[in-house]
Amino acid sequence: MRIYRFTLLAMLPGIFCSLVAIGEDRVAWTTSRIVRTPEPPPKFKTVNAYPNLTFDKPTVATSAPNSSRLFVSEQFGRIYSFPDDPHVRIADLFIDLKTELTTLPVDNSTSGVGAVYGIAFHPEYPAKPLVYITYTLNPKDRNVPLLDGTRVSEFRVDQSDPPRAIPESERIVITWREGGHNGGCLKFGPDGDLYIATGDAAPPNPPDPLRAGQDVSNLLSALLRIDVDRRDEGLQYAIPEENPFIALAGARPEIWAYGFRNPWKMSFDRETGELWVGDVGWELWEMVYYIRKGGNYGWSATEGPQAVHPDEPIGPTPILPPAISLPHSESSSVTGGFVYRGSRFPELRGRYIFGDYDTRGVWAADFKEGVLQSRETITPAEHRVVAFAEKNDGELLVADYESGTLNRFERNIVEQPQAEFPRRLSETGLFAKLSEQVPAAGVYEFEINAPMWSDGATARRYVALPDDSGVRWYPNRRPIPGLASSARLFFPENGVLAKTISLETTSGPMKIETQILHHDGRFWHGYSYRWNDLQTEAELVAADGDSTFFTIPDADAPEGQSELRWTFHGRQQCLRCHNPWNEHALAFNIPQLNRSTATHSDQLKFLEELRLLNPVREEDGKNINWNKAPEKLVNLTDADLTPEQHARTYLHVNCAHCHQQHAGGTTTIDLRYDLPLDKTNLIGAAPMQGTFGIPNAKLIEPGKPWESVLQYRLIVTGAGHMPHVGAERVDTRYASVVERWI
């Protein structure tokens, strides 16, 4: 779209040393004022609590009562335990559901365990050596969800050292439909009963196709409460008599509260017993709910503050508002946390600590009688926050899905005073003549092969590196999905990329915003400066973003013009796409820079000669072929290219920053341009995120764009449009190119 997004670059040195002397024609950039951030430093930071341990895509971290051990589940079936010791070197296998499970269906409907979503130990553990685990089964046919494919099972625990769950002791307690949003979080309440979170068992689009959210006749979209110490007739558990719908005809008596989309992590306040849950939103909002007995939390009549299916009948109780509503400019995949009751940080006591998987924010919220009083960001946005864990002493851990680490909080002590961050674009030191976009000495303009679609806007791009530093470039290294250390470009501390975006309006061409990516030596940060109507200055946009409207020429509109909403995206939104797996900078990379320009026949060679790019010979004993032509994206203005070349490049620059392994897209497709087509998981594949009512829908059905969900996503506006954080208008030219390719 029209925004740079950003995240940390793993293993990047804090200070960059130039590898060669400054180029003869290079001018040093000495006017930069872009240092640190415009916000005060967060009050806390996170540090790796167990530096010798990493886990493969962790989903749950928890403690066990009366135990010094912690337990971590990996997404695809393994659960480990280890002592709460920062020097621990090995995590011990607790159970491997993938290989040790003995209760798979005999009807060949499943290919085995899908994912682990919940772990809870019996509150009387270890006197009652029982653990409860939520996991899903993979259906053999993705088009046929398993009606009992999400399970909560009880296992006995062998009290050896280290402890082991006994696979053959499994007792399947309760099941519900799998199919997308499975929930799965487990917590024992202060009443001794087991609380279970379930989702709407559906992909994101269309929203709640089963209409499960307001239907209390099934177990979906709910928080359930059961007694695992007793059994009612025909059940593997008992229904507590206090459950709210136990006497309601047709209702499932297990339901404690309902109206959730995908409740991702819940917790009880260990002092008050209050129950909190984070509910992952759909189109605009993320929600945190304070749970009341029999509460209706809206889905899918509502998504937090907005209506979704307003004409659908609601459940048996009124809809209750969220305790916290977060717009997608700040949060797009909320992870519920805990009310802090530890002793290390008195200033956090009683505050609800929660986070976000996509934007990586971590917040502390204050409430008074259930009403939100304040909310603040308390750590840098560093982690894919998949879960929080509360240790037995009340201290919290943050599980990072991407790095596989468990991280603890520390106070963020800043040794030096905060420098004033430039609030106006003219104060950044990037431009010698701002209104004409004349770059300052040492700031260089560059061009790329294939820009993203930005509602028809155009852009000028700049790179600015302090003093005589350069971007370290490993020419022969190829990025490997899952290994950030395989990146080829390493930016120096206080390196900056800038992009000024202009739009043709009915009043003429206008500069809309200048976006800046700043590398502080460890992390990337993104900012937007909004141009004034006089086109003389641009002001820093607030952290949570902004929006406005422009009147633009539109040949398809009745009066030849239309209104376009322009979004200045929030800083945390940038984290969704500028991630380590695409090397952060979506435009300044070798495939984009490898081209000729009006002034240089070989832009890469020009950047090397200036020492803006510093090639590095890796010490691996191999001969480096410096004459080998690096890869390149095709130039989308080249009319001689085939529809496939155009389409694959277009999908790469507009979609692949999220849709590749580990990068945050929720499907399994990989849209990088240089993958063989049969490796993209596109052709003939069933859509995992909804069919939109398309008969015989596939992601791509060769020869049939009308049956191809990818094509539909490009031409529809609203919630189904891809990318979600993208342009408001359809790129009709390239939608047609993709259609011809299919």
Side-chain angles (χ1 to χ4, degrees):
M1 155 115 182
R2 47 180 177 270
I3 178 166
Y4 281 113
R5 305 181 182 88
F6 43 89
T7 63
L8 64 91
L9 183 54
M11 302 175 68
L12 186 65
I15 298 177
F16 174 84
C17 296
S18 182
L19 298 173
V20 293
I22 190 168
E24 183 178 346
D25 298 325
R26 168 88 175 275
V27 178
W29 184 41
T30 61
T31 57
S32 175
R33 292 190 58 201
I34 304 173
V35 293
R36 300 187 179 90
T37 71
E39 284 79 39
K43 296 176 182 177
F44 296 88
K45 62 183 179 180
T46 56
V47 297
N48 194 335
Y50 310 99
N52 298 311
L53 299 182
T54 57
F55 300 93
D56 182 18
K57 302 178 180 63
T59 55
V60 185
T62 190
S63 56
N66 307 304
S67 171
S68 63
R69 282 188 166 259
L70 295 169
F71 296 79
V72 176
S73 73
E74 295 182 336
Q75 180 173 347
F76 300 116
R78 292 188 182 91
I79 301 175
Y80 293 91
S81 77
F82 60 92
D84 183 15
D85 177 353
H87 303 294
V88 62
R89 303 195 67 84
I90 297 174
D92 303 299
L93 186 65
F94 182 63
I95 190 171
D96 185 350
L97 297 174
K98 201 80 168 180
T99 61
E100 298 179 324
L101 206 63
T102 60
T103 57
L104 292 178
V106 296
D107 60 3
N108 202 34
S109 61
T110 177
S111 58
V113 171
V116 178
Y117 290 125
I119 306 171
F121 287 83
H122 195 283
E124 297 177 34
Y125 182 90
K128 288 188 176 180
L130 301 173
V131 65
Y132 298 83
I133 301 173
T134 309
Y135 65 90
T136 61
L137 299 175
N138 279 331
K140 276 286 184 65
D141 185 346
R142 289 298 309 176
N143 292 315
V144 184
L146 297 173
L147 299 183
D148 58 353
T150 308
R151 297 173 167 183
V152 175
S153 286
E154 175 191 274
F155 295 85
R156 294 190 65 81
V157 180
D158 180 348
Q159 294 296 291
S160 55
D161 186 16
R164 282 273 291 170
I166 304 170
E168 56 270 22
S169 72
E170 180 182 18
R171 177 172 71 91
I172 300 172
V173 177
I174 191 170
T175 66
W176 64 93
R177 177 187 175 115
E178 63 81 32
H181 300 143
N182 299 303
C185 188
L186 301 176
K187 295 292 177 184
F188 277 96
D191 51 18
D193 291 326
L194 181 62
Y195 289 72
I196 305 166
T198 74
D200 64 14
N205 289 296
D208 195 15
L210 302 175
R211 295 299 191 268
Q214 295 296 304
D215 182 359
V216 295
S217 70
N218 59 59
L219 297 179
L220 302 179
S221 293
L223 299 185
L224 314 178
R225 176 184 183 236
I226 62 174
D227 182 347
V228 295
D229 290 328
R230 300 184 298 114
R231 299 188 195 181
D232 290 339
E233 185 177 354
L235 300 174
Q236 294 294 310
Y237 53 89
I239 306 295
E241 294 181 356
E242 302 84 5
N243 278 12
F245 305 117
I246 196 167
L248 181 64
R252 288 297 299 254
E254 297 92 340
I255 293 175
W256 181 255
Y258 65 100
F260 304 99
R261 182 174 179 268
N262 191 25
W264 189 253
K265 308 307 180 187
M266 60 179 171
S267 66
F268 286 93
D269 183 338
R270 61 167 57 192
E271 287 193 6
T272 67
E274 295 172 332
L275 177 57
W276 296 86
V277 64
D279 192 23
V280 178
W282 172 56
E283 184 180 42
L284 296 177
W285 297 94
E286 302 295 306
M287 287 73 64
V288 171
Y289 291 111
Y290 166 64
I291 303 302
R292 296 171 174 82
K293 175 182 177 179
N296 176 2
Y297 295 93
W299 184 252
S300 60
T302 62
E303 175 203 25
Q306 80 151 340
V308 177
H309 293 136
D311 298 328
E312 292 291 321
I314 67 168
T317 54
I319 293 175
L320 299 175
I324 305 174
S325 299
L326 297 106
H328 275 184
S329 58
E330 291 186 75
S331 170
S332 57
S333 183
V334 71
T335 296
F338 290 84
V339 175
Y340 178 75
R341 297 298 181 185
S343 60
R344 292 191 64 207
F345 310 113
E347 63 270 41
L348 290 179
R349 280 189 59 83
R351 304 178 76 186
Y352 181 69
I353 312 299
F354 69 107
D356 189 87
Y357 174 86
D358 272 344
T359 67
R360 306 175 190 232
V362 175
W363 299 278
D366 290 291
F367 291 89
K368 183 177 181 179
E369 297 178 353
V371 178
L372 179 67
Q373 302 297 303
S374 65
R375 174 173 59 87
E376 67 171 328
T377 299
I378 61 170
T379 71
E382 299 179 23
H383 302 296
R384 288 277 193 194
V385 185
V386 71
F388 291 84
E390 184 181 44
K391 300 198 297 183
N392 287 332
D393 62 3
E395 300 303 329
L396 301 183
L397 299 171
V398 181
D400 186 328
Y401 180 85
E402 194 166 74
S403 68
T405 58
L406 296 180
N407 305 275
R408 58 181 170 83
F409 291 102
E410 292 282 0
R411 286 192 177 88
N412 190 20
I413 299 173
V414 180
E415 299 289 341
Q416 52 188 339
Q418 180 88 352
E420 182 63 28
F421 192 88
R423 301 280 169 172
R424 296 181 177 180
L425 189 58
S426 60
E427 299 168 351
T428 62
L430 283 169
F431 296 99
K433 293 183 179 180
L434 182 63
S435 58
E436 292 89 353
Q437 291 289 280
V438 177
V443 178
Y444 291 88
E445 191 166 2
F446 65 92
E447 298 181 22
I448 63 173
N449 280 313
M452 300 172 74
W453 167 248
S454 301
D455 284 336
T458 58
R460 295 177 65 179
R461 296 171 173 84
Y462 308 88
V463 57
L465 306 178
D467 303 320
D468 62 350
S469 59
V471 176
R472 191 166 42 174
W473 173 29
Y474 292 83
N476 278 35
R477 185 184 293 183
R478 182 171 182 78
I480 302 170
L483 292 177
S485 60
S486 67
R488 287 166 294 176
L489 296 181
F490 290 82
F491 277 74
E493 184 175 8
N494 291 322
V496 170
L497 295 169
K499 179 171 74 167
T500 295
I501 299 173
S502 299
L503 184 69
E504 188 68 35
T505 72
T506 53
S507 301
M510 293 185 65
K511 293 184 287 291
I512 305 302
E513 63 175 315
T514 295
Q515 299 166 357
I516 289 176
L517 267 180
H518 168 229
H519 193 266
D520 69 4
R522 187 180 177 199
F523 304 118
W524 285 97
H525 306 272
Y527 307 101
S528 178
Y529 289 82
R530 177 176 178 172
W531 282 83
N532 61 23
D533 292 340
L534 297 177
Q535 302 284 276
T536 57
E537 183 63 274
E539 301 281 345
L540 182 66
V541 175
D544 56 356
D546 201 354
S547 64
T548 190
F549 287 87
F550 294 100
T551 304
I552 61 171
D554 186 348
D556 296 326
E559 298 180 1
Q561 62 185 38
S562 60
E563 292 294 305
L564 171 68
R565 184 181 72 170
W566 189 272
T567 299
F568 303 90
H569 288 89
R571 293 168 200 161
Q572 286 188 314
Q573 272 187 302
C574 302
L575 296 170
R576 299 178 64 183
C577 297
H578 283 277
N579 55 61
W581 317 115
N582 54 53
E583 298 190 67
H584 302 272
L586 300 183
F588 196 90
N589 56 55
I590 301 307
Q592 286 280 29
L593 297 171
N594 186 10
R595 57 165 291 163
S596 62
T597 69
T599 53
H600 303 286
S601 60
D602 186 333
Q603 184 173 229
L604 282 180
K605 183 177 181 180
F606 166 70
L607 294 173
E608 280 188 65
E609 290 173 346
L610 285 179
R611 302 296 189 260
L612 286 166
L613 284 177
N614 289 336
V616 177
R617 294 176 182 267
E618 295 187 79
E619 299 297 330
D620 57 5
K622 296 179 181 178
N623 293 321
I624 304 298
N625 181 6
W626 294 99
N627 297 319
K628 181 181 178 182
E631 68 272 30
K632 64 183 297 183
L633 287 165
V634 302
N635 192 319
L636 288 177
T637 63
D638 189 343
D640 294 331
L641 300 175
T642 66
E644 176 163 2
Q645 290 174 304
H646 274 284
R648 291 295 306 275
T649 296
Y650 185 81
L651 294 174
H652 176 92
V653 299
N654 287 281
C655 311
H657 44 274
C658 288
H659 286 297
Q660 60 175 285
Q661 187 176 357
H662 304 297
T666 55
T667 63
T668 59
I669 60 176
D670 192 328
L671 296 180
R672 288 174 293 171
Y673 76 102
D674 54 347
L675 278 184
L677 193 56
D678 61 356
K679 302 295 185 183
T680 62
N681 301 321
L682 277 175
I683 308 303
M688 297 179 64
Q689 307 294 344
T691 65
F692 302 93
I694 300 171
N696 307 312
K698 297 290 187 288
L699 292 177
I700 286 183
E701 181 60 38
K704 299 179 179 179
W706 55 89
E707 293 182 4
S708 301
V709 167
L710 183 142
Q711 174 68 17
Y712 175 85
R713 294 279 207 168
L714 292 177
I715 63 175
V716 71
T717 57
H721 181 71
M722 276 291 178
H724 283 315
V725 180
E728 296 285 326
R729 303 166 67 205
V730 172
D731 186 352
T732 54
R733 175 187 176 190
Y734 270 92
S736 298
V737 169
V738 173
E739 181 180 14
R740 289 199 301 275
W741 171 55
I742 295 174

